[in-house]
Amino acid sequence: MKYFIYSFFAYSFVAYSQQLSNNYGAPSWSPDGNQIAYVLNDSNNSNLYIFNLKNKSTIQITNSESSELTPAWSPDGKKIAFVSNRSGHLEIYNYTIKTKQIEKLTNFEEDVVTPSWLPDSKAIIYILFDRKKKSRKIWMSKLDGSASKIKMDQTSNYIYPRISPDGEVMIFASKNNNTDDYYHIKAYDLIRDKINEIEMLPIVSYNPSWFPNGEKIVFVNQANSEVKRASIYIGNRDGSNLKKLLG
């Protein structure tokens, strides 16, 4: 189904191939709002660049024959995490702004996608995709490379994890069970160790994002099987007062 394929693979496989044909992609704002990290693709690979909005200058921060994808700027502005297949499969790397050094953060045999920083810039959450088991679980790595699975009841498949600015809640999309093709937005309360449903709109919802103050969320919803007819919803962090914003 188109909507199911797109909802997960938008950050791993389908969207990656789309990025490689669309030239520019995956913009990420710096915390001060003065710079944008982005992907620039040619016919063979993709690399990361930074565009300075003040002086209109551009610098290239990776120069690889592999594909560098989905940059994510750390909240303290010191690092840019990104996904690359330079090791033969998708892993997360960190680029340090001051030293211009690149370090590999994750070390798995499986693909790692959708990096997202914790508010303190000391760790990154992401999806570990095990192709053999066909499972997608939420993991976290600290900057020293130590990795652990998020300690919630991960009995389903998960995509797009995002931690709230106050560090207390993680929103994500997951299936209601392993046989259900439909993803919906849920929230995991890290303080109370509890998962709450945010929405059950038809048919599928994905790609949630926090407002800067953490009081509201936005996400994509598809009410039918046509990807081109997706809408954007906005609501409170507990799922109340949901309204269609666009679409």
Side-chain angles (χ1 to χ4, degrees):
M1 297 180 182
K2 288 183 179 179
Y3 58 84
F4 170 66
I5 294 174
Y6 184 82
S7 66
F8 170 66
F9 291 98
Y11 271 87
S12 51
F13 302 106
V14 170
Y16 286 170
S17 63
Q18 289 175 345
Q19 283 185 18
L20 293 176
S21 62
N22 289 343
N23 201 16
Y24 291 90
S28 176
W29 286 98
S30 62
D32 61 10
N34 292 328
Q35 300 179 91
I36 298 175
Y38 63 93
V39 174
L40 179 61
N41 313 284
D42 59 30
S43 59
N44 298 314
N45 54 37
S46 60
N47 281 289
L48 302 183
Y49 293 76
I50 295 176
F51 178 69
N52 189 303
L53 293 166
K54 286 189 172 182
N55 59 25
K56 311 301 181 185
S57 63
T58 300
I59 61 171
Q60 183 174 350
I61 63 175
T62 66
N63 186 10
S64 172
E65 295 182 356
S66 58
S67 294
E68 323 283 34
L69 308 159
T70 57
W73 218 301
S74 64
D76 63 10
K78 296 180 179 180
K79 294 180 181 293
I80 297 175
F82 63 94
V83 172
S84 174
N85 64 356
R86 59 176 66 188
S87 67
H89 62 283
L90 299 176
E91 295 271 19
I92 295 175
Y93 294 77
N94 267 330
Y95 172 84
T96 301
I97 302 295
K98 185 176 182 179
T99 65
K100 300 181 180 179
Q101 297 296 309
I102 294 175
E103 297 178 329
K104 186 179 180 184
L105 179 67
T106 58
N107 188 25
F108 293 100
E109 294 181 358
E110 298 86 10
D111 286 327
V112 179
V113 295
T114 62
S116 179
W117 289 89
L118 268 65
D120 61 7
S121 298
K122 295 181 179 179
I124 295 173
I125 58 172
Y126 49 86
I127 295 295
L128 180 63
F129 178 39
D130 188 329
R131 298 193 190 199
K132 294 181 180 179
K133 296 181 181 179
K134 297 182 179 180
S135 67
R136 308 169 187 95
K137 305 303 181 184
I138 305 172
W139 280 64
M140 179 179 72
S141 284
K142 297 180 180 179
L143 294 186
D144 62 5
S146 59
S148 60
K149 186 188 292 186
I150 294 293
K151 294 181 180 179
M152 69 176 189
D153 183 18
Q154 297 201 47
T155 56
S156 183
N157 280 327
Y158 304 84
I159 54 177
Y160 303 109
R162 300 287 185 265
I163 298 288
S164 61
D166 60 15
E168 295 183 357
V169 177
M170 177 176 66
I171 54 175
F172 53 88
S174 73
K175 298 179 181 182
N176 289 328
N177 56 63
N178 285 324
T179 61
D180 187 0
D181 277 354
Y182 307 127
Y183 281 86
H184 291 282
I185 308 302
K186 295 181 174 60
Y188 174 57
D189 189 321
L190 286 89
I191 306 300
R192 299 173 178 83
D193 189 25
K194 182 181 179 181
I195 297 177
N196 299 308
E197 287 187 353
I198 297 299
E199 56 78 33
M200 284 300 294
L201 297 169
I203 297 178
V204 59
S205 299
Y206 52 92
N207 204 7
S209 181
W210 290 96
F211 270 40
N213 63 10
E215 294 181 0
K216 294 183 180 295
I217 61 170
V218 293
F219 60 89
V220 177
N221 172 262
Q222 290 174 224
N224 55 58
S225 60
E226 293 297 324
V227 171
K228 294 181 180 179
R229 300 194 63 180
S231 302
I232 295 177
Y233 277 76
I234 185 174
N236 296 329
R237 64 187 286 165
D238 62 358
S240 62
N241 199 28
L242 286 180
K243 297 178 180 179
K244 185 184 291 187
L245 185 64
L246 294 168

